[in-house]
Short mmCIF file of all heavy atoms in Angstrom, two decimals:
data_model
loop_
_atom_site.label_atom_id
_atom_site.label_comp_id
_atom_site.label_asym_id
_atom_site.label_seq_id
_atom_site.Cartn_x
_atom_site.Cartn_y
_atom_site.Cartn_z
N LEU K 65 0.93 8.93 -0.19
CA LEU K 65 -0.03 9.70 -0.98
C LEU K 65 -0.28 11.09 -0.41
O LEU K 65 -0.23 12.08 -1.15
CB LEU K 65 -1.33 8.92 -1.10
CG LEU K 65 -2.43 9.61 -1.95
CD1 LEU K 65 -1.91 9.88 -3.36
CD2 LEU K 65 -3.69 8.74 -1.99
N GLU K 110 -31.61 46.26 31.09
CA GLU K 110 -32.59 45.90 32.12
C GLU K 110 -32.29 46.64 33.42
O GLU K 110 -33.20 47.13 34.09
CB GLU K 110 -32.57 44.39 32.35
CG GLU K 110 -33.16 43.59 31.20
CD GLU K 110 -33.01 42.10 31.42
OE1 GLU K 110 -32.44 41.71 32.47
OE2 GLU K 110 -33.45 41.32 30.55
N LEU K 163 -25.30 56.85 23.23
CA LEU K 163 -23.90 56.83 22.79
C LEU K 163 -23.31 55.43 22.93
O LEU K 163 -22.68 54.91 22.00
CB LEU K 163 -23.09 57.83 23.61
CG LEU K 163 -21.56 57.72 23.51
CD1 LEU K 163 -21.10 57.92 22.08
CD2 LEU K 163 -20.89 58.73 24.44
N THR K 173 -19.76 46.22 13.87
CA THR K 173 -19.76 46.23 12.41
C THR K 173 -18.34 46.31 11.87
O THR K 173 -17.99 45.65 10.88
CB THR K 173 -20.58 47.42 11.89
OG1 THR K 173 -21.92 47.34 12.40
CG2 THR K 173 -20.65 47.41 10.37
N LEU K 265 -19.78 52.74 33.11
CA LEU K 265 -21.23 52.81 33.00
C LEU K 265 -21.90 52.17 34.21
O LEU K 265 -22.89 52.69 34.74
CB LEU K 265 -21.67 52.11 31.71
CG LEU K 265 -23.09 52.39 31.21
CD1 LEU K 265 -23.26 53.88 30.92
CD2 LEU K 265 -23.38 51.58 29.96
N GLY K 280 -37.40 55.72 52.72
CA GLY K 280 -38.22 56.38 53.73
C GLY K 280 -39.02 57.52 53.14
O GLY K 280 -38.94 57.86 52.00
#
Side-chain angles (χ1 to χ4, degrees):
L65 182 58
E110 289 175 359
L163 167 60
T173 302
L265 196 60

